[in-house]
Each structure stands twice: as structure tokens, then as C-alpha cells.
Amino acid sequence: MNIYPLKIKNIEAKIPVIQGGMGVGISLGGLAGAVAKEGGIGVISAAQIGFREPDFDQDTKGANIRAIRKEYEKARTIAPEGIVGFNLMVAMRHYEEYVRAAIDAGADIIISGAGLPMELPKLAEGSDVKLAPIVSTEKSAKVILKYWGKKYKRMPDLLVIEGPKAGGHLGFTEEQLEEYNSVCNDDLTYNNVNCDNNGLYDEEVNRILNLVKQYEEEFGCRIPTALGGGIENHRQAAHAFSLGVDAIQVATRFVTTEECDADIRYKEAYIHADREDITIVKSPVGMPGRAIVNPFMKRVMSGEQIPHIPCHGCLHKCDPAKIPYCITDALIHAAKGEVDDALLFCGAYAYKAKRLETVKEVIDSLLTKRV
């Protein structure tokens, strides 16, 4: 596996590893700064980032905007010369204000998914921030590339392809997830069947990359790509690069690092999880996601309505009177280590974590073949 720096216009990451954004409070300035210091791209999740601010309950948006700057400055202190960006979910309320706050703070790149960031170029107009939409299918990639090209006469600076084995909210229907995950549930073998990192999704990745080439030719530009979702070891990283992408996006492996911003009990939940503990769940607004089955999730799956505090206005299409639980509450519980009352988002291979590592150890294990 040949490793080359990731060039995104006028910026360059020495190593082609993007740390995936994880909210609430899992990838903040500490983790993002550590990854950027090692030469990768560190990513802060802006999802309810201000949950530790004293006025979060009274002024959620204001608390989040202040915390965006605080966490960026923390990461920049750790990695003065590194590349630090934000992950911003389109599904968030006040998305536009958070995009502008990230730009004002000094973000090098904005990675945006959980919906298609159709108007992101307009929000970032006049800045030098790099824009990276997240797509999961050829269809979603075509929508973004066609729309940005026609309306804004520009292409993404980076395209992030996120596969079905990622953690958190997923850009697939339940039927698609069932199809993809039925092919292979491990990195190499499952029930004695040889597995090539989910061949069906490889075909989708190839279609996306072919589409990217068409738009590169049309617009006379280079659109680097990154692939994420279930990249847990060197063999999976090598497989991703063999498909022709320029970088890998990794999130779950960074949770069980010393530098991760989450509470130690959250990290231990990964370490103690078994393979059968990880499943596809629904968020309160119906979006599928992957998480660890714990006492909280068992209550939700049994149909219990979990009481919640006043709405923090996190997601569009959320009706506080009808939701089975509040995702903000559940994810804040996770970040604070209150794991029995938490939504524990994770990637497909979270159960493989056996100990705490450092960010450097994780990066080395992904990019260096062990003999």
C-alpha cells in the first residue's frame, strides 16, 4: 500500500487519514488536535458542541457558537500547523449559523452530511474554507455534483464517501443496510465465507469514483475522494486505497484513544462490547444509525417513551411531543459517561477495541502493515 499526502487545493495533509466527526462531545478539540498534530485531518463535531456551557439549556444556539470557537482554539493550540475542520450535519437546526461560526473560528475544512449540503457553497462564499460533502450512493453524489456545478459553477474540494458500516446516522435506507450488511459482517470471513470488505458496496464506490472523473473532466479540476465506514485495520485501509480513493475517514478507532474527548466510561463501553451487541437503531426522527445495545436502547426498542427535558432544537423534523426519546439528552449522557442512559453510537467493528491506544498508535496500525 503506497501512502501519499492528501492534497486539497492549497492545503496538504501529510498522511491521508481524516478523523470522522463524532457528536455529541466525542470528537472535540482534544481529539481533532491530536490527529492534526500527527499529520492527518482532525475534525470537530459541531453537533450540540456547547453542551458543557452553563447556559446551554437557556441559549442552545449561543452556547454552541461559543463552543465552536473554543474547541477550534483548543485544537489549534495542540496542532498549530495542522489541518483542523468541522463536521456539520445538514439536519441540524441553525445549520447556516453554525457553518458561519466554524468559518469565523478559522476552520480549514467543513465536512457536511446527514442530508445533502446543497447550499453550502453559498454559506461559505468569500472564505477560503474547503468544502467536503458526504455521500453514500452514486445517486446522492450525482445530485450534489450536478447542483453545485449548475448553480455555483464549482465542485467540492473533497468528496467523502461514507459506507454502510459507519457509526452514527447512516445515509442509507433500512433495506439498503440489510442488503449490504448481509454480504459480510466481518473484515475477512463470516460463517466461513470469504469476504472482500463488502463487494456490493465496492461496486457503489466504483460508480461514485467514475462519476467524479466525469465531473473532473467537465470542470477541469481535481476532486480528491475519501472513503469511510468500517475501516478498522491495515487490511481494510489498503482495500479502500486499492479502490482508488485518496484518503480514508476513520472514526470508531479513535474513540478508544487516550486523546478522545469522551468520558472513559464511554470508551470502556466499546472495549467491553461484544459483536452481537452492535445493531442498527432508529434515531427519534427515523434516521437509521448504528449503536451498542445497552439498557437505554433496550428500553427504546421495547417501545418505552423516555421522558426528556425541554427541547434544545437540535434536528429538523423533530416533534418533541412524539419522539420516543431526545437524541440530545441521550448523546450528552454518552459523552458524560452515563452509559446506561445513553445512545452509544459506534461503527460496525467497535467490538474489536480491546484497550486504550494513542492517536499515533491508531494511525500507525492503519497505515503500516504488521508482520
Side-chain angles (χ1 to χ4, degrees):
M1 178 173 69
N2 295 319
I3 301 299
Y4 302 99
L6 172 61
K7 295 182 180 180
I8 308 173
K9 286 192 171 178
N10 63 330
I11 62 174
E12 179 176 294
K14 294 179 181 179
I15 58 172
V17 175
I18 301 168
Q19 164 251 310
M22 296 173 283
V24 172
I26 308 304
S27 62
L28 297 175
L31 177 58
V35 174
K37 184 178 180 180
E38 292 298 327
I41 296 180
V43 178
I44 299 165
S45 170
Q48 302 295 58
I49 190 172
F51 72 100
R52 290 194 178 100
E53 292 291 301
D55 61 345
F56 178 70
D57 290 341
Q58 295 76 35
D59 181 17
T60 303
K61 183 174 76 171
N64 286 335
I65 288 174
R66 288 195 303 276
I68 283 172
R69 180 171 293 277
K70 287 181 180 179
E71 294 300 332
Y72 175 80
E73 290 175 351
K74 182 193 299 181
R76 184 55 70 205
T77 299
I78 296 169
E81 305 300 323
I83 299 176
V84 178
F86 282 85
N87 180 289
L88 290 154
M89 300 194 303
V90 179
M92 293 190 301
R93 294 180 185 177
H94 311 299
Y95 173 75
E96 296 85 356
E97 289 95 328
Y98 296 149
V99 168
R100 293 190 178 101
I103 294 170
D104 290 344
D108 295 307
I109 186 169
I110 290 175
I111 298 174
S112 191
L116 295 179
M118 306 297 282
E119 308 302 334
L120 186 55
K122 179 177 69 176
L123 300 175
E125 190 174 5
S127 75
D128 192 39
V129 69
K130 306 303 180 284
L131 305 180
I134 298 174
V135 300
S136 293
T137 63
E138 179 193 21
K139 181 179 179 180
S140 59
K142 188 171 185 178
V143 169
I144 280 286
L145 296 174
K146 184 177 181 180
Y147 187 84
W148 282 24
K150 184 176 182 179
K151 185 167 183 179
Y152 297 110
K153 304 297 187 291
R154 66 160 293 173
M155 288 287 101
D157 302 306
L158 170 73
L159 191 71
V160 177
I161 305 168
E162 196 167 277
K165 295 188 181 300
H169 288 120
L170 302 169
F172 301 90
T173 64
E174 290 184 63
E175 292 75 21
Q176 287 174 318
L177 289 172
E178 184 175 347
E179 179 182 17
Y180 287 132
N181 291 321
S182 68
V183 176
C184 173
N185 289 317
D186 207 344
D187 58 328
L188 291 175
T189 58
Y190 180 59
N191 289 344
N192 296 318
V193 176
N194 189 44
C195 172
D196 62 354
N197 282 310
N198 209 334
L200 278 182
Y201 194 66
D202 285 358
E203 295 172 10
E204 190 72 29
V205 172
N206 287 329
R207 286 191 287 268
I208 294 171
L209 294 179
N210 287 332
L211 180 69
V212 166
K213 290 177 183 177
Q214 294 174 28
Y215 278 89
E216 284 180 325
E217 293 174 3
E218 180 178 346
F219 283 83
C221 66
R222 174 86 171 92
I223 309 171
T225 54
L227 178 61
I231 298 176
E232 188 269 338
N233 57 35
H234 176 270
R235 192 161 357 201
Q236 290 164 337
H239 179 79
F241 285 116
S242 76
L243 296 175
V245 298
D246 302 282
I248 54 174
Q249 178 179 273
V250 178
T252 295
R253 277 294 306 277
F254 288 116
V255 170
T256 50
T257 58
E258 295 174 6
E259 298 94 334
C260 179
D261 298 277
D263 186 276
I264 183 62
R265 290 166 292 182
Y266 182 92
K267 303 175 187 183
E268 289 173 345
Y270 278 43
I271 293 171
H272 297 319
D274 293 323
R275 178 172 172 162
E276 56 270 22
D277 294 328
I278 298 171
T279 191
I280 301 297
V281 301
K282 273 189 178 181
S283 79
V285 293
M287 297 170 67
R290 179 174 280 106
I292 295 172
V293 176
N294 63 344
F296 172 82
M297 190 47 58
K298 288 178 180 178
R299 292 168 63 193
V300 172
M301 295 168 74
S302 71
E304 182 179 342
Q305 295 285 121
I306 311 295
H308 54 83
I309 59 179
C311 180
H312 288 96
C314 59
L315 298 177
H316 291 295
K317 300 180 181 179
C318 179
D319 184 344
K322 297 180 180 179
I323 56 174
Y325 65 95
C326 172
I327 194 167
T328 288
D329 288 355
L331 292 175
I332 288 175
H333 283 309
K336 291 181 176 179
E338 298 159 354
V339 294
D340 286 346
D341 297 309
L343 171 58
L344 302 174
F345 273 149
C346 68
Y349 301 127
Y351 68 91
K352 292 192 174 184
K354 301 302 179 187
R355 63 181 179 89
L356 286 182
E357 302 176 273
T358 64
V359 161
K360 185 179 188 309
E361 286 177 316
V362 169
I363 292 175
D364 288 347
S365 73
L366 290 166
L367 301 183
T368 305
K369 186 174 182 179
R370 296 177 179 176
V371 180

